[in-house]
Amino acid sequence: MPRNFNRPHMVWGWRGTLADDVQHQVGAVNAALASLGAEPVDLDTVRRHFATSAPALCAAILGRALTDRERANASVAFETYHSRRPSAQLMTGSQDLLTRLIRSGCSHSVLSLSAHNGLTQRISDLGITSLFLRVDGRTGPSARSKKQPLAKHVAMLRETIRDRPIVVIGDAVDDVRAAFANRVHPVPYAGGLTHSEILRESGPPVAETLAEAAALAIAHAHNVKQTM
């Protein structure tokens, strides 16, 4: 592949994407459901109902809206479960992948709806802060969408990366919708918490591995150059 094109900047999701925490997430969801008096569910159920916040996911699984108190209880139970468990490690091979991509001219950032302080601390603990131009997590209440956080994230990135292509890589349909809303390219990743069939319905080609996601991001940047 020719090298005379702008290498992309990749905005990575954290939970279910770079963080190997799928089973942690299922446990946290079941803790949230238990706080509502509901029975536990399996990974397939979580993947088929996945939403970007614990209350929204519980509501989807239960098939009904939650009261304000239930939403608060679900959020507290979800976060408490995570706080009492060992932190998730990186997906196998992801650090080497990110490093190789940087050497090839790509750059990275993280955008997550996880709490900002915990996210930045975990990335620091893993010794990978230097791999990212930015790390942005949630600074307020639980959010349903990355649309507005991504808009801010992209605006801040543009000060550094200028007009290079931006690609959002994440495991949720919301990642795709947020990317389209902000006029950047999405690559859905099927190794996380959303069922691959649902991701395929969102439109863009779905990556089965993080390496494939990166390859799709680079191919997009190449195609952008070809059409200019």
Side-chain angles (χ1 to χ4, degrees), residues 52-81:
T52 53
S53 72
L57 177 52
C58 289
I61 291 171
L62 296 175
R64 65 172 179 82
L66 303 186
T67 66
D68 289 345
R69 175 172 288 184
E70 286 177 325
R71 288 179 58 82
N73 289 344
S75 292
V76 169
F78 184 89
E79 295 299 339
T80 299
Y81 178 94

Side-chain angles (χ1 to χ4, degrees), residues 8 21 30 54-55 67 82 96 109 130 147 165 203 215:
D21 65 349
N30 282 326
T67 66
H82 276 294
D96 287 342
S109 60
S130 63
K147 179 180 176 181

Side-chain angles (χ1 to χ4, degrees), residues 6-11 105-109 132-134 153-167 184:
N6 285 335
R7 291 275 166 168
H9 175 88
M10 302 175 193
V11 179
C106 299
S107 57
H108 310 292
S109 60
F132 305 109
L133 298 183
R134 292 189 63 83
H153 191 80
V154 167
M156 297 300 293
L157 284 172
R158 286 299 181 201
E159 297 178 5
T160 302
I161 68 170
R162 304 304 178 186
D163 61 349
R164 286 172 49 210
I166 293 176
V167 177
V184 295

